[in-house]
Amino acid sequence: MNEFQMIENKSMYDALIHGAKRVIEKKDTLNQLNVFPVQDQDTGNNLSALMKAIIEQTKLGNTIDETLESLADAALIGSRGNSGLIFSQFLYGLTKTHQSIDYPELIRRIESGVIHAYNAISHPVEGTMVTLMRKLSETLKNTNQPIDNIETYVDYIIVELNKALEQTKSELEVLKTFGVVDAGALGFTLFVEGFLQSIIKRSTTDDVAQQHSFEEPETIEHDHIDITYRYCTEVLLQTTTDKQSLTKLLDNFGDSLVIGETKRLKRVHIHTNQPEIIVEKLSGLGQILESKVDDMRKQYQATQAKDNEICILTDSIADLPKIFVDSHPIHVHPIGINFNDIVYYDKLTINNHQLFHYIDKHEKFPTSFTPSIKAIDAQINFLLKHYKKLIILTVSSKMSGIHNLFTKALEGYKDKDVLLVDTKQNSVSEGLIVYEVAKMIEQKVPFEDIKLAINTLVQKTQILVHVDTLDNMVRSGRIKKSLGTLGKLLRLKPIVSINDAGEGVVLSKTIGQKRNFKKLVNMVSHIHKTAGIENYAIVHVSNLKLAEKLKTEIIKKTGKAPVYVGEISSIIAMNSGLNSVAVGLIRKDL
C-alpha cells in the first residue's frame, strides 16, 4: 500500500540514524534556546551526545526487535542531562512490543515510548519534550488524514508536530518570557522529521528550525540563587531496585529527577546540592558503572560572562575556598578516586569523611582516576565559547598526568588564546597560585602581563605539610612498609614539601607531633625573616583545631593572617592521611 505498510529492519535502522544526525546538526541552536529547567545552554550538547552514542553504538540486528534493543542500550548509556535521559526512555518504549512494524504497530510502539518517557520523570512538566512525544502519538492515532499519499501524510504529521512545538511558548512561563520554544521539544521534533524523511526516502533541505522564528533568547540578569539545586548529577548502574523505590529514595534530595532504564541498566538524573549523598546511596544498591556531575551554577556564570575576558581552569587538587571559586571566573576539572571500580569525583561525589570511611572498609587502597581527554576537551570547548582567553593551571606534572592530558587536548586549540601552566605545586600552594591569578583578572590586569607574572609566581610559591601518620603513604606504596613500621615505632612525623622541579620531598622527620608542629612553625618563621611572605593559606584533613593553632602561631611570627583556611582535597588527603595540616605560601624574595 505505501511505505508505512511494513517497515523493514534496515529501513528502521537507517531512519533512526538519520533522525539522530538531524539533531546533531542543530546542536548550537538547541543550546541557544535552552532556558528550562536551567538556563545553562547545554540541551544541544546533551542531545548531541545521545545521538552520537546512537549512531556509534546501535547495532543492526537480525530483527527489528534486536536493532531496537541495541538502540535502547546505546541511548541509555549515551544519554546526558534531563532531555537526553527522557529521550532514551521514549526510545526504550519502542522495544516493548514484539510484532513486525506495520503502521498500527508503529503507533503502538510510539504510545509505549510516550508512557515510558512520562513514567521516567518524577514530576512531568508540560510544554517540554514529553508534550511533543504525546502529541506525535495522538496525531498518529487520531488523524483522519488519508494515508494513501505517504508524502502528504508525512508532511501533515510534521506540520501538526510543529504546531505543538510552537504552543510550548505559551505552556511554560519561562518560555513565554524569552519568547522561545522548548529546546528539548525542538530536538524531538527534529529527530521525528529526520526519521520520517528517511522512511519515505525523501532528500530535502527543509528545516524544522527554519519554519519558526527561533531567535536567540535575550539574557535575563538574575542572581545565582535562582538555581536552587546546583549540581546536575547522573549515575549509570546495574541494579535490581525498581524505579519506584529509587524515586522514593532520592526524591527529597533535589528536583528534575528522571530515572531511565533498559533490561540491563538504570540511569538516574537529578539536580541536587548533595551529589556525594546520591552516589553513596546508589552505591549500596548495585554496581555503579559511571557517574557525572555538572556544576550548573558555574555553567550559568560562564554564559553570563560579559565583563570577563579571561577565565581560569584548574583541577580539583588546587585547594581553594568554594566561596572564592564561586565569585570568580574559576572552573574546576574534578579528579577521580577509584574505589573497587567505582569512580568518585574529588569535591563533588566524595568528601574526606567518606574517603576515610571507605578506606577503613576496604582492603584495597584507592587510586586516582585519570580524566578522559574527551571530557577535558569538552570543558575547554565550552569555556572558549564564553571567554576570549583561558588560563589553565594544573597540579605539578611530576605528580599527576593531568598536565599532559591538557597538553594533548590543547592541540586542537592552537589558534586560541590559551595559556597552560604547570604550577609545579599541589593542594594549597597550587590553590594560592590560582587565587593570585584570579585577583589579577579581577583587577583587569592585561593577559600578557598575567603571563609574565605567573612565571614569577610559580617560582615564589611553596608548600610545607605536617603528616601525622605514615599509614596511608605505606598503603599507597609511596614509602616502603618497613620504613612505615619503623616510623610508627619511633613516632616519626615528617614535613613534606615540593622542590623546584615539582617533585615531592621530605624536608625533615621529627619524633612526635608537638616537635614536628614546632619545626613547621619555625620553617615558616625562617622564610618570613629571610625572604618575606606575600600571602599564605592553611588547609587540613579533618583537623581544624590544629589548623587554627598553626594560624595563630604564624600570625604571631609574621603579623599576617592567612588569606584562607580550608579542607585538603581528597586526592591529597588519600596519601597525606588524617590530621595532616599544610601551609602554602608565596615568598616576597626580598
Side-chain angles (χ1 to χ4, degrees), residues 420-456:
L420 174 62
V421 178
D422 179 355
T423 68
K424 299 182 181 179
Q425 298 292 331
N426 70 9
S427 183
V428 64
S429 51
E430 181 189 357
L432 266 179
I433 293 173
V434 177
Y435 178 93
E436 293 294 331
V437 175
K439 285 292 187 181
M440 285 188 265
I441 293 172
E442 187 176 48
Q443 294 160 12
K444 307 296 182 184
V445 176
F447 186 63
E448 293 303 319
D449 291 345
I450 293 176
K451 279 186 182 181
L452 295 173
I454 289 175
N455 291 331
T456 304

Side-chain angles (χ1 to χ4, degrees), residues 131-147:
T131 303
L132 269 291
M133 292 172 176
R134 177 172 51 78
K135 184 63 178 179
L136 172 65
S137 177
E138 292 171 352
T139 300
L140 291 171
K141 188 175 181 180
N142 301 327
T143 181
N144 294 318
Q145 185 79 8
I147 197 172

Side-chain angles (χ1 to χ4, degrees), residues 550-587:
L550 180 60
K551 170 184 170 181
T552 300
E553 292 300 317
I554 294 177
I555 290 173
K556 285 179 184 178
K557 298 287 187 182
T558 66
K560 192 176 185 70
V563 288
Y564 58 86
V565 176
E567 275 271 346
I568 287 179
S569 150
S570 292
I571 291 285
I572 301 300
M574 186 170 71
N575 294 304
S576 65
L578 271 170
N579 299 321
S580 300
V581 175
V583 55
L585 55 88
I586 300 169
R587 302 186 309 273

Side-chain angles (χ1 to χ4, degrees), residues 28-263:
D28 291 340
T29 299
L30 296 172
N31 281 336
Q32 291 167 2
L33 292 170
N34 174 207
V35 296
F36 178 84
V38 177
Q39 191 192 344
D40 51 4
Q41 297 186 15
D42 68 350
T43 293
N45 294 338
N46 291 336
L47 287 179
S48 180
L50 168 67
M51 299 305 160
K52 286 178 181 177
I54 288 172
I55 292 169
E56 294 169 3
Q57 298 176 32
T58 301
K59 306 297 182 187
L60 178 62
N62 294 321
T63 65
I64 280 183
D65 284 322
E66 284 184 12
T67 299
L68 290 177
E69 285 181 11
S70 174
L71 167 77
D73 280 342
L76 187 73
I77 293 170
S79 64
R80 295 290 182 270
N82 207 344
S83 55
L85 188 50
I86 294 169
F87 207 132
S88 79
Q89 290 310 279
F90 173 81
L91 297 175
Y92 177 51
L94 301 183
T95 70
K96 300 311 289 183
T97 54
H98 299 282
Q99 301 176 37
S100 57
I101 305 282
D102 56 12
Y103 182 66
E105 178 60 15
L106 177 65
I107 294 175
R108 282 192 291 271
R109 293 201 183 214
I110 288 174
E111 281 185 296
S112 173
V114 173
I115 291 168
H116 277 77
Y118 270 91
N119 287 345
I121 308 169
S122 178
H123 305 286
V125 176
E126 295 299 334
T128 60
M129 179 187 289
V130 287
T131 303
L132 269 291
M133 292 172 176
R134 177 172 51 78
K135 184 63 178 179
L136 172 65
S137 177
E138 292 171 352
T139 300
L140 291 171
K141 188 175 181 180
N142 301 327
T143 181
N144 294 318
Q145 185 79 8
I147 197 172
D148 294 333
N149 185 330
I150 189 62
E151 292 212 2
T152 300
Y153 184 71
V154 163
D155 287 340
Y156 168 76
I157 294 171
I158 292 174
V159 167
E160 290 300 302
L161 210 53
N162 287 335
K163 288 179 183 177
L165 178 64
E166 191 71 18
Q167 288 170 6
T168 64
K169 288 183 179 180
S170 59
E171 289 181 273
L172 271 177
E173 192 62 35
V174 66
L175 301 180
K176 190 185 298 183
T177 299
F178 283 102
V180 297
V181 300
D182 180 67
L186 173 59
F188 180 76
T189 304
L190 289 165
F191 180 86
V192 172
E193 182 199 50
F195 178 90
L196 293 175
Q197 300 285 4
S198 178
I199 290 293
I200 64 172
K201 298 178 174 57
R202 176 194 287 173
S203 176
T204 178
T205 58
D206 291 345
D207 192 331
V208 174
Q210 293 174 353
Q211 295 177 26
H212 300 268
S213 55
F214 295 143
E215 297 179 1
E216 185 174 349
E218 295 179 6
T219 299
I220 292 182
E221 300 292 342
H222 59 79
D223 192 15
H224 290 152
I225 198 170
D226 290 342
I227 300 177
T228 305
Y229 295 104
R230 176 170 182 165
Y231 298 104
C232 177
T233 304
E234 296 184 20
V235 179
L236 178 70
L237 72 160
Q238 287 180 321
T239 180
T240 57
T241 307
D242 59 70
K243 286 202 294 187
Q244 290 76 16
S245 298
L246 289 172
T247 300
K248 186 176 179 181
L249 178 70
L250 302 176
D251 207 19
N252 291 330
F253 287 95
D255 63 14
S256 296
L257 177 61
V258 182
I259 301 174
E261 65 179 347
T262 65
K263 290 179 178 179

Side-chain angles (χ1 to χ4, degrees), residues 352-503:
N352 287 344
H353 173 76
Q354 291 172 317
L355 171 73
F356 289 103
H357 174 68
Y358 294 152
I359 287 175
D360 288 342
K361 278 176 57 180
H362 297 98
E363 289 185 11
K364 191 175 180 181
F365 197 76
T367 58
S368 59
F369 178 82
T370 305
S372 69
I373 291 181
K374 184 177 179 181
I376 290 171
D377 177 75
Q379 192 167 21
I380 291 172
N381 185 56
F382 170 78
L383 293 174
L384 286 174
K385 284 183 178 178
H386 301 288
Y387 295 90
K388 294 179 181 178
K389 299 175 176 66
L390 176 61
I391 298 172
I392 302 173
L393 302 165
T394 74
V395 63
S396 171
S397 60
K398 296 293 178 68
M399 297 179 169
S400 169
I402 187 75
H403 182 84
N404 188 47
L405 290 175
F406 273 108
T407 301
K408 290 181 179 178
L410 287 175
E411 289 176 0
Y413 298 91
K414 292 180 179 177
D415 59 332
K416 302 292 185 180
D417 275 330
V418 182
L419 174 64
L420 174 62
V421 178
D422 179 355
T423 68
K424 299 182 181 179
Q425 298 292 331
N426 70 9
S427 183
V428 64
S429 51
E430 181 189 357
L432 266 179
I433 293 173
V434 177
Y435 178 93
E436 293 294 331
V437 175
K439 285 292 187 181
M440 285 188 265
I441 293 172
E442 187 176 48
Q443 294 160 12
K444 307 296 182 184
V445 176
F447 186 63
E448 293 303 319
D449 291 345
I450 293 176
K451 279 186 182 181
L452 295 173
I454 289 175
N455 291 331
T456 304
L457 192 58
V458 169
Q459 294 170 14
K460 290 183 175 182
T461 303
Q462 67 185 92
I463 188 172
L464 300 169
V465 186
H466 157 73
V467 177
D468 188 62
T469 173
L470 298 175
D471 289 351
N472 281 21
M473 289 189 175
V474 172
R475 290 189 68 182
S476 65
R478 300 256 168 172
I479 63 174
K480 293 180 180 179
K481 188 175 181 180
S482 57
L483 181 60
T485 303
L486 179 63
K488 203 166 187 178
L489 286 171
L490 297 176
R491 297 189 298 115
L492 284 179
K493 309 293 181 183
I495 292 178
V496 179
S497 187
I498 299 172
N499 64 21
D500 291 342
E503 299 166 325

